[in-house]
């Protein structure tokens, strides 16, 4: 069955936050660090973030099973963040569909930027498949993060 991608509403935020924690649980376990921001984010802070970013949701049979968020900076660069897919639905093209949709929404930007954990091999591979190239690796709160970009042609 096909899912639906659409703009998330403010009332979707509790479900997105719960999904985010579920999706990042594996990362937190692999890093042995449950203090990473996706795990500690509160409803209050995701609500503040919602005011500044576009949130998309992927809904299947009325249930949110994926999400991504992004915003444009003053240099017309689209910063994409928190691509999440429910663990039971990963590797089915949902993340790819969300990425393609968020890129199409911000189709007039100069480039896209994103980052993920160095140990998140599947995520890094997905971004590379979508045309992103690695720009740097940095230690962020004890977790090595890969920063990637894709020029918008």
């Amino acid at each position: 069955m096909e899912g639906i991608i659409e703009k998330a509403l403010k009332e979707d935020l509790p479900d997105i936050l719960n999904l985010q924690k579920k999706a990042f649980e594996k990362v937190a376990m692999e890093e042995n660090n449950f203090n990473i921001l996706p795990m500690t984010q509160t409803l209050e802070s995701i609500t503040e973030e919602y005011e500044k970013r576009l949130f998309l949701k992927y809904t299947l049979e009325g249930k949110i099973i994926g999400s991504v968020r992004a915003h444009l900076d003053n240099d017309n660069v689209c910063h994409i963040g928190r691509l999440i897919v429910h663990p039971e639905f990963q590797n089915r093209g949902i993340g790819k569909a969300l990425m393609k949709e968020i890129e199409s929404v911000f189709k007039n930007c100069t480039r896209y930027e994103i980052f993920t954990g160095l140990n998140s091999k599947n995520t890094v591979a997905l971004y590379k498949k979508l045309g992103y190239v690695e720009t740097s690796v940095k230690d962020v709160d004890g977790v090595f993060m890969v920063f990637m970009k894709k020029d918008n042609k």
Side-chain angles (χ1 to χ4, degrees):
M1 183 166 201
E2 274 297 297
I4 299 165
I5 298 176
E6 58 192 348
K7 183 181 185 299
L9 305 172
K10 206 171 199 171
E11 51 264 28
D12 294 322
L13 293 178
D15 290 338
I16 290 172
L17 184 61
N18 288 334
L19 175 62
Q20 173 179 299
K21 291 181 186 218
K22 193 173 287 196
F24 276 93
E25 190 172 24
K26 184 179 175 209
V27 174
M29 284 169 41
E30 287 171 352
E31 296 290 344
N32 195 24
N33 183 351
F34 283 83
N35 292 319
I36 58 175
L37 196 54
M39 295 298 288
T40 61
Q41 188 167 28
T42 63
L43 185 57
E44 182 182 18
S45 76
I46 200 173
T47 303
E48 286 173 19
E49 191 180 351
Y50 181 83
E51 301 303 326
K52 301 175 194 126
R53 290 170 174 65
L54 171 68
F55 280 62
L56 296 181
K57 64 182 178 181
Y58 187 105
T59 311
L60 186 65
E61 296 175 356
K63 193 172 164 86
I64 298 172
I65 60 165
S67 180
V68 68
R69 57 197 86 161
H71 72 280
L72 276 181
D73 69 14
N74 293 334
D75 296 321
N76 203 32
V77 174
C78 177
H79 297 270
I80 302 172
R82 303 267 166 83
L83 174 66
I84 54 173
V85 177
H86 190 289
E88 292 174 18
F89 294 92
Q90 291 177 0
N91 301 311
R92 297 188 193 180
I94 295 167
K96 181 180 179 182
L98 282 163
M99 286 294 292
K100 286 189 175 292
E101 185 63 26
I102 202 85
E103 287 177 0
S104 76
V105 171
F106 291 96
K107 65 180 177 277
N108 296 322
C109 70
T110 54
R111 88 176 164 270
Y112 303 97
E113 293 186 356
I114 196 162
F115 62 90
T116 190
L118 183 61
N119 291 332
S120 301
K121 304 290 184 216
N122 288 351
T123 309
V124 171
L126 169 65
Y127 296 156
K128 284 183 177 177
K129 239 188 269 179
L130 293 172
Y132 287 78
V133 293
E134 198 175 305
T135 56
S136 65
V137 176
K138 296 178 190 158
D139 182 333
V140 180
D141 299 326
V143 178
F144 284 99
M145 305 301 280
V146 181
F147 289 77
M148 304 177 85
K149 72 170 187 170
K150 177 165 100 173
D151 291 327
N152 191 14
K153 296 171 176 48

